[in-house]
Amino acid sequence: MVLAELGGSISRALQQMSNATIIDEKVLNDCLNDITRALLQSDVQFKLVREMQTNIKSIVNLEDLAAGHNKRRIIQQAVFNELCKILDPGKPSFTPKKAKPSVVMFVGLQGSGKTTTCTKYAYYHQKKGWKPALVCADTFRAGAFDQLKQNATKAKIPFYGSYMESDPVKIAVEGVERFKKENCDLIIVDTSGRHKQEAALFEEMRQVSEATKPDLVIFVMDSSIGQAAFDQAQAFKQSVAVGAVIVTKMDGHAKGGGALSAVAATKSPVIFIGTGEHMDEFEVFDVKPFVSRLLGMGDWSGFMDKIHEVVPMDQQPELLQKLSEGNFTLRIMYEQFQNILKMGPIGQVFSMLPGFSAELMPKGREKESQAKIKRYMTMMDSMTNEELDSTNPKLMNESRVMRIARGSGRPVREVMEMLEEYKRLAKIWSKMKGLKIPKKGEMSALSRNMNAQHMSKVLPPQMLKQIGGMGGLQSLMKQMGSSKDMMGMFGGGDK
Ligand SMILES: Nc1nc2c(ncn2[C@@H]2O[C@H](COP(=O)(O)OP(=O)(O)OP(=O)(O)O)[C@@H](O)[C@H]2O)c(=O)[nH]1
């Protein structure tokens, strides 16, 4: 996401300043001007940037800098604090409680990603043991109900809506009542959008809100709207009691700075960000780790959380067993691809570690490899169970390859390429053969080394070099304390 570029620009400005032999007012001003420019280019509202610049200048004491204190740290800390201040409205949003019915209403312009986000929000909670339900009160856009129905069905979430009824208030009330009776604890109401802010939209929102009395109204904003973010967020806040913000499409070319403006305009926190079209491309938004990452200061807890979140713990012992027997099948490859996709581009995950920035992965490459993984998965979707579970490379004869190519609509060349990739991975994983499976809490040095060895083959060479080669990787993994977490990244574990 382009916010990484903002982080890079700020880091460069700080670096340039700390390279200067004498820090005088001019050097400090140049540094702050560079930071200001970077923020404006990322669509942070002009007024906010101005305020921030003034605040930093009043906090940073030139004498401290001249006295040889760590200049970079002092300014970085001031920038960190100011960015956190903008993103933290000072009070948390309403948090629904499990097993107690809450109504959450979603509002936003058409195309902001509202309907998709409703389902992502429901799915996120469902995975955590909630009983969510979706109500489609969007009677304005033809096809809105079908879209919600499709998403909800895929995620196995109960839904309510109507093809005949044109009154959104009536549908919203009926849906909320029904799901309250069914003991759902998170009732999500998707409302209509319009292409632009207009009176009819705001009036409809007010009516739905009055009739359903939501515990929380979430404003969904497309991160690519740029400098318009502040005014748009403010307009919604003036019509309904917006209590939280979700910023979508943070994976795209959006500059993302609009998130800061939306918080300032609504005085409500960003609670999640959307990072893709898929159901699980949705991340909890935490101010400090986010800003920390932005400034290249690392986000240790985010890294751990991400890994824990994507690794299906219940699958780990079974998987490790198969690997220790040397059985790396296409199905296992498919499941690992699923993990990688859930985790986000690997470079993005590594950017959460101190000292690693998203710039480490050549820009654009992560997307490319993600798209390739998705293509491979499409081809594997056309395979039979026998093919997916076999460890016999000879099974994949010409006619099978042709059939898979036809079934998935991909060229034969790509199927061959995917099978080559499988062979490459199978070779790497074959090193796990004979690995003694440690009992819970008994992660041995041997398995730790195996992990480091395995990781060294999977990491892009330039990343491995940056870590300090094999030795660096091993000590990094030791520092992380639990090698289980690193194992988990590739689907293994020490259960
Ligand atoms: N890349 C990316 N696309 C997203 C994200 N969230 C939503 N989208 C896409 O944005 C488009 C619009 O999303 P919808 O959910 O239909 O938008 P909406 O705001 O509900 O639109 P209306 O129902 O017409 O008001 C769809 O193609 C979604 O797949 C995201 O986080 N990243």
Side-chain angles (χ1 to χ4, degrees), residues 78 85 124 135 149 186 246-247 261 270 281 284 372 379 391 421 441:
K85 233 163 73 187
Y124 171 87
V135 179
K149 200 167 140 182
L186 193 61
I246 295 182
V247 185
S261 308
V270 176
E281 288 173 320
V284 173
K372 190 153 88 180
M379 293 183 251
T391 48
E421 183 67 9

Side-chain angles (χ1 to χ4, degrees), residues 110-116 138 141 147 249 251 274 276-277:
Q110 196 165 39
S112 60
K114 204 168 6 77
T115 305
T116 311
D138 180 356
R141 178 167 69 93
Q147 186 191 354
K249 309 184 193 179
D251 52 308
E277 297 194 45

Side-chain angles (χ1 to χ4, degrees), residues 27-280:
V27 175
L28 176 63
N29 276 343
D30 284 351
C31 170
L32 289 182
N33 284 341
D34 284 346
I35 295 176
T36 302
R37 205 168 305 124
L39 288 166
L40 286 174
Q41 279 169 359
S42 294
D43 285 334
V44 182
Q45 198 208 19
F46 182 71
K47 194 168 147 272
L48 289 178
V49 177
R50 249 347 235 284
E51 271 172 28
M52 190 173 153
Q53 193 178 17
T54 316
N55 290 348
I56 295 177
K57 268 177 118 171
S58 67
I59 297 166
V60 175
N61 187 339
L62 266 178
E63 278 166 23
D64 275 354
L65 297 183
H69 291 292
N70 188 334
K71 306 149 209 160
R72 189 188 155 96
R73 259 198 74 79
I74 293 173
I75 310 236
Q76 193 179 43
Q77 194 60 44
V79 175
F80 177 84
N81 291 345
E82 283 304 306
L83 284 173
C84 287
K85 233 163 73 187
I86 300 178
L87 278 166
D88 185 355
K91 59 175 176 34
S93 74
F94 167 83
T95 318
K97 302 238 166 2
K98 217 186 256 182
K100 184 176 175 290
S102 298
V103 176
V104 179
M105 175 176 157
F106 276 67
V107 298
L109 285 191
Q110 196 165 39
S112 60
K114 204 168 6 77
T115 305
T116 311
T117 307
C118 282
T119 329
K120 285 180 175 180
Y121 183 78
Y123 182 65
Y124 171 87
H125 285 90
Q126 189 191 46
K127 275 199 303 189
K128 293 193 176 304
W130 294 64
K131 220 182 141 199
L134 288 158
V135 179
C136 177
D138 180 356
T139 51
F140 182 78
R141 178 167 69 93
F145 180 40
D146 272 334
Q147 186 191 354
L148 183 118
K149 200 167 140 182
Q150 229 174 40
N151 290 348
T153 310
K154 214 153 103 204
K156 301 195 177 61
I157 296 165
F159 60 90
Y160 184 83
S162 166
Y163 289 109
M164 314 300 288
E165 180 56 63
S166 61
D167 179 4
V169 178
K170 194 158 179 273
I171 299 181
V173 170
E174 282 172 5
V176 168
E177 273 172 10
R178 166 182 309 186
F179 291 129
K180 274 189 178 163
K181 271 192 211 124
E182 291 179 9
N183 293 326
C184 292
D185 50 10
L186 193 61
I187 306 165
I188 298 159
V189 182
D190 185 15
T191 60
S192 305
R194 299 286 192 278
H195 285 304
K196 53 185 175 51
Q197 301 154 37
E198 49 186 65
L201 165 68
F202 291 136
E203 183 48 33
E204 185 177 315
M205 257 169 27
R206 257 193 296 270
Q207 287 179 12
V208 174
S209 169
E210 223 159 79
T212 55
K213 308 235 167 340
D215 298 283
L216 175 66
V217 177
I218 299 179
F219 168 58
V220 178
M221 192 191 82
D222 180 337
S223 60
S224 64
I225 59 168
Q227 288 284 342
F230 189 90
D231 289 342
Q232 190 187 108
Q234 200 170 42
F236 275 87
K237 175 78 178 185
Q238 280 161 1
S239 301
V240 273
V242 171
V245 178
I246 295 182
V247 185
T248 62
K249 309 184 193 179
M250 291 289 269
D251 52 308
H253 293 292
K255 298 182 180 156
L260 280 73
S261 308
V263 174
T266 58
K267 301 200 172 38
S268 312
V270 176
I271 52 171
F272 287 95
I273 52 171
T275 54
E277 297 194 45
H278 288 268
M279 201 97 77
D280 45 16

